[in-house]
Amino acid sequence: MSETGRAEPHQVHYVTIHGKRRAYVKEGEGPVVLLLHGLACDHRTWEPVIDALAEKYTVIAPDLLGHGLSDKPRADYTLGGYANGMRDLLTVLGYDKATVVGHSFGGGVAMQFGYQFPERTERVMLVATGGLGPQVTPFIRLIQAPGWETAMCLLTLPGLRHVETAGLRALGAVGGPLRPLTRDLPEIAAIIDSWQDRGTRYAIRHLVRAVIDWRGQVVTMADRAYLTEAMPMAVVWGREDQVIPVSHASNAAEIAPGARVEVIDDAGHFPHKSDPERFVRLLDDFISTTEPARYNRARWRRLLLAGPTSSVTPLTSVRSPGASA
């Protein structure tokens, strides 16, 4: 029995687009919800919420190119490239529009999708997303460091990898005052386990180079956040996130005042796994109480010409949600 209560994992389907095989899970019927996983993860990160969402929605959870069961070619691993891939996947599957939900790096893809294809985006939900501030865990910064590839070749050798991942999973079960630090270690173990594959390491390294430098996150939504005036947006974070600080959530309220911001207590970088029932309620409420965006070229043009209503500054200083100014 899986941690989601299912006897078997969800069935994985495959489709070849531009000569590259892409894996995805599709469940349910109704309005389309596209779930985009984060860096070095795959569709399985959404296992705890897929069945509940599928009671009302068509849920599509792909493995992004270079991840999971999808191909890992020498290819375009930029945010724009991933957004194009998701447009093409929806097209092949016969869907015109979707509510796009992105976790961590997948949040960056979701933002890019909404920016590139507003006519196909009904709403955007960002979960512990990148793009709202420069800070990020050193664990991710190290991926672009010289010697990372060599180090991973050694650290993911069968015997050593098994010891490492078993230790991380054991620490992940530790409760008490250390819980905020150990909560997400089983996810880290799964990521390290996936790095035994050379193609995965190649994809992750090139992906990270596109969005992070030695100072932290490079990509930001600050200069385009004003476009959310034409598109419902929600932001969800775990209060104990050790990968991307929860303080970044307050930036969403500053640069996109119309966005809903929810912080889940007793959750880390994977709030959809820490508290799946609440996450499903939040997403369902977001979809049920907002009208889907309807693309109007004239309105989009006016927004682009007007630009931000206030000057855009780099997101280098952040406050915790609820903190006083």
Side-chain angles (χ1 to χ4, degrees):
M1 186 75 69
S2 72
E3 62 180 307
T4 65
R6 289 179 61 90
E8 298 291 338
H10 292 94
Q11 182 180 359
V12 178
H13 306 276
Y14 297 92
V15 63
T16 299
I17 303 174
H18 308 311
K20 302 173 182 66
R21 191 177 78 155
R22 299 172 185 269
Y24 66 96
V25 164
K26 185 171 81 71
E27 298 285 345
E29 294 183 1
V32 177
V33 175
L34 178 65
L35 301 177
L36 305 179
H37 63 76
L39 175 74
C41 297
D42 56 41
H43 73 272
R44 291 174 297 177
T45 193
W46 301 110
E47 288 277 3
V49 301
I50 288 176
D51 285 342
L53 290 172
E55 293 178 7
K56 290 180 64 175
Y57 305 103
T58 297
V59 180
I60 301 172
D63 286 354
L64 296 174
L65 206 66
H67 296 72
L69 298 173
S70 288
D71 281 349
K72 302 168 181 67
R74 186 172 182 270
D76 181 1
Y77 291 112
T78 62
L79 290 174
Y82 277 118
N84 289 340
M86 292 303 96
R87 173 205 58 192
D88 295 342
L89 177 63
L90 289 176
T91 299
V92 168
L93 297 182
Y95 301 109
D96 292 327
K97 298 183 179 182
T99 292
V100 186
V101 182
H103 171 244
S104 197
F105 173 78
V109 178
M111 286 186 246
Q112 189 69 22
F113 185 94
Y115 171 66
Q116 289 182 198
F117 311 114
E119 73 282 2
R120 307 194 67 165
T121 310
E122 295 186 332
R123 304 167 190 82
V124 172
M125 175 178 274
L126 308 174
V127 185
T129 185
L132 291 176
Q135 295 87 354
V136 69
T137 177
F139 178 75
I140 295 178
R141 291 192 195 187
L142 285 173
I143 293 173
Q144 60 181 337
W148 179 83
E149 172 73 17
T150 301
M152 286 304 106
C153 286
L154 296 174
L155 292 174
T156 56
L157 290 173
L160 187 56
R161 186 181 76 251
H162 295 151
V163 171
E164 293 164 355
T165 55
L168 288 170
R169 291 187 174 101
L171 286 172
V174 173
L178 293 178
R179 186 59 176 162
L181 298 176
T182 62
R183 176 189 307 279
D184 293 330
L185 291 182
E187 302 295 336
I188 302 299
I191 289 171
I192 291 175
D193 202 42
S194 74
W195 284 348
Q196 64 184 293
D197 179 75
R198 182 180 180 182
T200 298
R201 294 197 303 268
Y202 174 90
I204 296 305
R205 188 168 176 82
H206 283 265
L207 181 161
V208 168
R209 283 177 173 174
V211 295
I212 293 173
D213 65 15
W214 63 272
R215 291 180 295 179
Q217 296 185 61
V218 175
V219 177
T220 176
M221 68 170 287
D223 60 343
R224 300 172 188 173
Y226 67 94
L227 295 173
T228 59
E229 178 185 328
M231 187 178 299
M233 187 175 84
V235 177
V236 177
W237 228 285
R239 191 172 298 280
E240 298 172 348
D241 194 333
Q242 303 296 312
V243 178
I244 303 177
V246 63
S247 53
H248 288 199
S250 58
N251 279 335
E254 293 181 12
I255 64 177
R260 299 187 185 188
V261 179
E262 297 282 350
V263 176
I264 298 180
D265 294 325
D266 198 30
H269 189 57
F270 300 81
H272 50 289
K273 300 192 77 169
S274 297
D275 196 342
E277 291 183 0
R278 181 174 177 188
F279 181 85
V280 168
R281 289 197 302 270
L282 289 173
L283 179 52
D284 180 49
D285 181 69
F286 175 52
I287 295 174
S288 300
T289 60
T290 56
E291 289 294 323
R294 291 179 173 81
Y295 176 69
N296 180 289
R297 189 174 70 171
R299 184 186 184 192
W300 197 257
R301 181 175 182 273
R302 287 195 300 271
L303 285 171
L304 290 170
L305 288 172
T309 55
S310 59
S311 61
V312 177
T313 56
L315 294 177
T316 58
S317 177
V318 293
R319 300 194 305 269
S320 298
S324 59

